[in-house]
Structures are given as C-alpha cells and as structure tokens.
Amino acid sequence: MLRNADAPLTRSAAIASVAGTAAALAMGVSARAAAGRALALTGGGATGTAWVTGVLLGLLRAGVDPNAADLVIGTSAGSIVGAQLRSGVPLSDLYTSQLNADASVLASWAKNYVDPATMAAIAALRPKDHVPTKSERAAVGALALGAKLPSEAEWLPNFYRASGIGSLDRWPAKPIDIVAVDAVDGSVAIFDGAKKAPLQLAIAASAAVPGFTPPITIGGRRYTDGGVAGTNLNVAAGFATVLAVIPIAYGFTDNEVAALRAQGARVIEIAPDDGAKAAIGPNVMDASRKSVAAEAGLRQGTAAAASLRGIW
C-alpha cells in the first residue's frame, strides 16, 4: 500500500486521509499504532547503513531485540537495514556484510556520474530550523529530476549490489513502512506492501539520494530519498514507545522528537557519539568507511541496551 503522510498529520489522520473509511482507520490505528512499539531507522548514506546495522546488532547481543518492534519505519539507509531485518536476515550476517563491503560500486558511480555542484545546490535547500515543507521538498525533487545522471535501469543493479537487497523479492510479514518523497509534488509517500509496489523498488526510492542517484519510478510517479522530508518520525505518531536510530540529525530533528513526545510517546534516541562521528567521516557515501562505522555502531548499541531494558 502507498499512503501519503505529510507533516503535521498524525498517524491516524494520515491513514484516514488516504483510506477515507472508518474501517480502514480502525484497522490502521488499532492494529498497528496501539500495538505499542515503533522502531524508526532514519537516513544516513552508506556509512549510516553500516552504523545502524552495528547499533541494532549491539542491542540484540545485549538482550534487546530491535525486531520485536510492532512497526519498523525505514527512511533511506534505514529502509535498507529495516527491510532486511524484517525479512529475517540475521543481524550478524548484515553486520559481517558491512565489515566486508565492496566500496568500489559507489566510488565508481560518484567518480563517473555525480556532479558536486548539483549535490551542493541540493544541500543548500535543506532548511536548518524547521521540517521541510512540501514546496521545499518539491524544489529538491526538481533538482533531482534535472540532475544529469544515468537512467534508473543503469543505477538499480548497482544499488542492489551495493546495498545487499538483491535477494529481497517479497514484502516481509512483519510490518514495515518505507518512506520516500514524490519528486514532482513533494508529498511524502509511505510504502508498506499492501499494494503492488515491489519491495526492492520501494527501498531504492527511499534511498534515492537526490543528485547522487536518479529518482525511482513506481506506479508512474518518480520518487526521491525519504530523507528529503527529514527523519519522518511523525510516521510513528500514536505509538507509545519509539526507538529512533538516527545516523544524521538535522537542525530540526529535535522538533520532530518533541512533536512525538508532545503526543505522549516515550522516544529513545540513539545518534552517533563523537567517536562514531569520526568513524563515519564527512562523506556519508564513502563506503570505504563502512567497517569502522559498523564497529562504532556496535559499541554504541551495546552500551545503549541498558537504558532500554524494561522499556522495549
């Protein structure tokens, strides 16, 4: 299923605005939001994928199972990790894949196709003090659509190889929301598998970094990175407990967290500490740093588990 979830809608309002029926509202909210726990995995590029994987494995090894969440919300890098987690890929295997990642795919793509000037122009559009509005997201989408990059058909095999999602051929049974942004009108889209959006394409859309990769076509619409909308923590509205694993925090991320807390949610944040930031480095698309980023995440996840026992 594809839903629109533009801020500042609550989860129930977002579902109602698309579904349009009381029955769908009751199913969407009571069966999922009322269940209690949401795991939000946000965007962070190649190194963010590695760091998040390490955090989740650290939590698991210390006795806190992140896959016990009633809903996983995956944005960009978070969708890559979240979809594999929900599909039953062992976190230990995911972690090993980050330690042994082939950095050549993204490095070659960046060298041959990515225009730094376009990337800089897109970065300059990100607001510093508020969650991006629909029009601001559409402005980023316009630059993404206009970037001189190879076609989706050329990018997708590279993405599947670099991300490791090539074997995910069906939506997992455990609920996951994958967030992307419509590159034309800036609306936030949530893919959850109830309609025929292929899982791999939903992940590719969520992780379609504007200016680095082409927007992805699903159902005749073009989608770009879900991180264009921020952390998308508002998708967890209605859940009692939200564990937010945030590789990249923006100037407005505190506002997103505060909005959830104002609705009564208990929000636990895990973000890179100084050591992890050093491991991740300044270029989040530098896959050569995946191993050290994963190791930093493992350390942080292990340490964070103590504060989650009895809550998660």
Side-chain angles (χ1 to χ4, degrees):
M1 182 176 181
L2 165 64
R3 302 195 306 277
N4 291 323
D6 287 321
L9 291 180
T10 63
R11 182 174 184 78
S12 59
I15 295 171
S17 69
V18 176
T21 68
L25 176 60
M27 178 179 68
V29 176
S30 65
R32 299 178 80 171
R37 296 174 294 184
L39 171 64
L41 307 175
T42 70
T47 52
T49 303
W51 178 81
V52 169
T53 301
V55 168
L56 298 186
L57 179 60
L59 290 172
L60 181 63
R61 286 181 173 176
V64 176
D65 183 3
N67 206 21
D70 301 294
L71 176 69
V72 170
I73 301 161
T75 295
S76 195
S79 74
I80 295 171
V81 181
Q84 293 181 89
L85 174 72
R86 288 313 232 187
S87 295
V89 181
L91 279 169
S92 57
D93 290 356
L94 292 181
Y95 182 75
T96 298
S97 72
Q98 299 305 310
L99 296 182
N100 301 317
D102 179 1
S104 65
V105 177
L106 294 184
S108 175
W109 183 270
K111 178 180 178 181
N112 293 325
Y113 302 123
V114 176
D115 176 13
T118 300
M119 294 288 289
I122 290 170
L125 291 178
R126 182 178 294 281
K128 294 180 173 56
D129 59 353
H130 63 273
V131 177
T133 64
K134 186 177 181 181
S135 62
E136 288 169 335
R137 299 190 301 258
V140 172
L143 287 180
L145 289 167
K148 294 182 176 11
L149 291 168
S151 68
E152 296 171 61
E154 293 176 82
W155 164 245
L156 286 172
N158 287 280
F159 174 68
Y160 297 153
R161 178 182 166 196
S163 64
I165 67 162
S167 64
L168 301 186
D169 58 357
R170 67 188 66 186
W171 283 84
K174 289 190 171 185
I176 180 170
D177 283 355
I178 293 177
V179 187
V181 169
D182 189 303
V184 175
D185 67 14
S187 59
V188 176
I190 301 174
F191 298 97
D192 65 6
K195 286 190 177 178
K196 295 182 179 178
L199 175 60
Q200 291 176 345
L201 284 184
I203 299 168
S206 182
V209 179
F212 192 94
T213 74
I216 303 300
T217 303
I218 300 175
R221 303 293 298 180
R222 305 290 303 281
Y223 294 97
T224 192
D225 199 297
V228 170
T231 63
N232 297 303
L233 295 182
N234 62 313
V235 179
F239 282 85
T241 303
V242 180
L243 172 57
V245 184
I246 306 174
I248 297 178
Y250 305 107
F252 50 78
T253 299
D254 286 348
N255 297 341
E256 296 176 285
V257 173
L260 271 184
R261 287 177 173 152
Q263 295 174 27
R266 180 188 306 208
V267 183
I268 304 98
E269 302 171 72
I270 304 178
D273 59 18
D274 288 343
K277 289 177 182 176
I280 288 168
N283 177 8
V284 297
M285 299 307 289
D286 181 2
S288 71
R289 302 193 66 83
K290 273 177 168 274
S291 60
V292 292
E295 290 166 349
L298 180 66
R299 172 183 54 77
Q300 278 197 262
T302 303
S307 63
L308 284 164
R309 294 192 190 100
I311 300 173
W312 189 257

